[in-house]
């Protein structure tokens, strides 16, 4: 079986011929940034919608737990296991938005909701995550990119991907990551 080539730091840079000129129709400026009016629209935080997302996430979590308790048979429990996996990802997504301080426009409320209502249920230490994630954004795809180890080895051979997915499905990766939190 032929081994897939390993990515290097330079592989993360697109080839010059793939780069296109920015849209100069007025919404995107020649430097690649949105024009100020559109940028302010894009940066507006929809507090009500985001609060609703948090409430709905907790409601789905409670409903999934309630169904599991009410009908504790193997089919329901297996279904709940997969549903909880999807909900866990949603907690992580909302935590990411909170880490960027984009979940709620009130900074204190954003940090409180982010920490207690979305990060802790996902077993994510948001303060540590925020520091590391902001370092990623400062050096994105650059020589000092802290997340480079997470994706520089891709693509991987099929057997390696199978091992990674098996470890994830069996919870080995989760236990390893959770061990760093306690």
């Amino acid at each position: 079986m032929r081994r897939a080539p390993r990515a290097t730091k330079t592989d993360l840079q697109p080839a010059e011929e793939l780069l296109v000129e920015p849209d100069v129709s007025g919404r995107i400026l020649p430097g690649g940034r949105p024009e100020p009016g559109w940028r302010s629209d894009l940066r507006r935080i929809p507090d009500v919608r985001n609060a609703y997302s948090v409430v709905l996430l907790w409601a789905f979590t409670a409903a999934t737990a309630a169904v599991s308790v009410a009908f504790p048979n193997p089919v329901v429990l297996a279904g709940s296991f997969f549903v909880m996996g999807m909900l866990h990802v949603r907690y992580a997504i909302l935590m990411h938005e909170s880490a960027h301080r984009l979940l709620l426009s009130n900074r204190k409320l954003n940090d409180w909701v982010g920490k207690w209502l979305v990060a802790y249920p996902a077993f994510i230490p948001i303060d540590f995550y925020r520091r590391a994630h902001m370092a990623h954004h400062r050096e994105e795809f650059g020589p000092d990119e802290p997340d480079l180890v997470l994706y520089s080895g891709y693509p991987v051979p099929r057997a390696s991907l199978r091992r990674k997915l098996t470890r994830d499905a069996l919870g080995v990766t989760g236990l390893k990551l959770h061990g760093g939190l306690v």
Side-chain angles (χ1 to χ4, degrees), residues 74-109:
V75 172
V76 171
L77 294 176
S80 295
F81 176 80
F82 286 104
V83 170
M84 289 303 282
M86 292 185 294
L87 294 174
H88 180 82
V89 169
R90 286 171 175 79
Y91 279 106
I93 291 168
L94 292 176
M95 181 279 313
H96 173 264
E97 295 307 302
S98 177
H100 277 282
R101 295 205 162 96
L102 296 173
L103 186 62
L104 299 167
S105 56
N106 179 299
R107 186 177 175 146
K108 283 187 178 189
L109 186 59

Side-chain angles (χ1 to χ4, degrees), residues 25-42:
S25 63
R27 290 180 73 156
I28 303 291
L29 301 174
R33 291 183 175 255
E35 62 89 15
W38 189 41
R39 185 168 192 249
S40 66
D41 289 345
L42 293 172

Side-chain angles (χ1 to χ4, degrees), residues 53-64:
S53 294
V54 173
V55 169
L56 202 58
L57 178 58
W58 273 88
F60 274 112
T61 303
T64 303

